[in-house]
Amino acid sequence: MDVDGTLAFARWVYFLSVMILFGSALFPFYALDRTAAPALAPLPRNLNSALALAAAIFAAIWLLCFTAGLSGRESMVDTLRGVLMESDFGTVWFVRLSLVLLLLVISFSGRPELIVGPAFLLLTCEGWQGHAAALGLLGSLNQALHVASAGAWIGGLLPLGLLTAAAERHPSKVAGVETVLWRFSRFGMVAVALIFLTGAMNTWLVLGSFPDPRNSYGRVLLFKISLFVAMVGLAVYNRYALVSRIKSEPAKSLRTLSRNVALEQIVGFGVLLDVSTLALMDPYA
């Protein structure tokens, strides 16, 4: 795998890890009612720790690959020093590395609710790097909101899937799970609206027009949009076709819902892989 391929993969694993940590830690604040739903921590501590460790490792790989792409192998150390100490990106990287280490410490503490803050800040760092950094304050804030909204939605799908699976094993908890599903659905509608609006704004700020399928950047961006539409389609079907049938057909509805939530996660992971590739491409080539 060449440097660009390694860089895209490192970005994918990093954002996947941080988004799952953020979305799953945020999930109990708006969705869970522990008096009605099955007792469920956002994620097991070991999984939180593994994700935080992955985020730390792949953030470092991302930085090293980014530096290698600028320097070649001869002056890696000097270029790394320049990136961190003399470039506009240096502050962003110091903040990112500090936050990811803090996230790693918190993940071992057994206090998952503390993950929300540093994970949110890690996601918003993306607004001050890459294409967004060249678009001024509006572009940076818009990108930060875009990434945080995506993390809240995609990351929340994992605890949602765990909860629906738990409900299949504990039919007496179906009423509580139905409440959680409606809460997640309402929250998801807000997140999806923000993703759509900020994504449209990003496209307008970067391209000034609809993506052009005649160039590679436009095709990759259109593929990302297609995956996003597929996720929204699954979410709409879950909300209006499945959640409303849980009381009358709990076993069948929960089984189908669990499968669809897993499929949503897979498509979401594909969106992140697409975005990780897109960030390395020239929009104007």
Side-chain angles (χ1 to χ4, degrees):
M1 187 181 293
D2 60 11
V3 172
D4 283 347
T6 305
L7 176 55
F9 181 74
R11 283 176 52 88
W12 179 61
V13 176
Y14 168 82
F15 278 110
L16 185 61
S17 301
V18 177
M19 284 188 176
I20 291 175
L21 285 167
F22 174 60
S24 62
L26 186 64
F27 184 83
F29 289 99
Y30 64 84
L32 286 188
D33 179 355
R34 296 186 184 277
T35 63
L40 181 71
L43 287 182
R45 183 191 297 188
N46 289 343
L47 181 53
N48 278 333
S49 301
L51 289 168
L53 182 60
I57 291 171
F58 282 93
I61 294 173
W62 174 6
L63 175 59
L64 292 175
C65 289
F66 175 72
T67 303
L70 294 176
S71 65
R73 297 178 181 176
E74 296 77 16
S75 56
M76 183 79 169
V77 174
D78 290 339
T79 305
L80 181 59
R81 185 184 301 112
V83 168
L84 293 176
M85 306 301 295
E86 299 172 12
S87 75
D88 294 336
F89 298 134
T91 301
V92 177
W93 271 108
F94 274 119
V95 171
R96 178 178 284 130
L97 294 175
S98 299
L99 286 170
V100 81
L101 290 176
L102 175 60
L103 197 63
L104 186 59
V105 171
I106 291 173
S107 71
F108 285 99
S109 71
R111 299 285 304 278
E113 69 276 7
L114 299 180
I115 288 174
V116 175
F120 171 77
L121 293 174
L122 279 169
L123 293 176
T124 59
C125 281
E126 185 65 8
W128 281 264
Q129 198 163 12
H131 298 143
L135 301 174
L137 181 60
L138 176 60
S140 293
L141 292 174
N142 186 74
Q143 177 69 357
L145 181 58
H146 183 70
V147 178
S149 300
W153 184 29
I154 294 174
L157 290 171
L158 181 55
L160 183 69
L162 293 174
L163 190 144
T164 54
E168 286 188 81
R169 297 191 299 270
H170 303 282
S172 62
K173 301 293 186 180
V174 167
V177 170
E178 184 182 11
T179 299
V180 173
L181 289 169
W182 281 115
R183 290 174 180 172
F184 180 84
S185 181
R186 288 193 294 268
F187 179 86
M189 290 176 64
V190 175
V192 167
L194 288 173
I195 293 168
F196 173 77
L197 292 172
T198 54
M201 178 65 76
N202 276 342
T203 301
W204 180 75
L205 289 173
V206 173
L207 299 178
S209 64
F210 190 79
D212 187 350
R214 293 174 297 180
N215 62 58
S216 56
Y217 184 90
R219 288 192 294 272
V220 174
L221 179 54
L222 286 171
F223 184 62
K224 170 196 168 184
I225 294 170
S226 299
L227 290 176
F228 172 70
V229 170
M231 286 188 72
V232 173
L234 281 169
V236 170
Y237 178 75
N238 290 342
R239 174 183 172 87
Y240 292 104
L242 294 179
V243 176
S244 60
R245 294 208 306 259
I246 285 180
K247 286 183 179 178
S248 59
E249 301 176 300
K252 181 179 179 181
S253 297
L254 284 171
R255 185 168 55 251
T256 305
L257 187 62
S258 295
R259 182 194 63 202
N260 286 0
V261 169
L263 184 57
E264 266 191 85
Q265 291 178 73
I266 293 170
V267 177
F269 298 164
V271 171
L272 295 181
L273 184 58
D274 184 289
V275 171
S276 298
T277 303
L278 201 64
L280 307 180
M281 301 176 69
D282 183 357
Y284 313 110

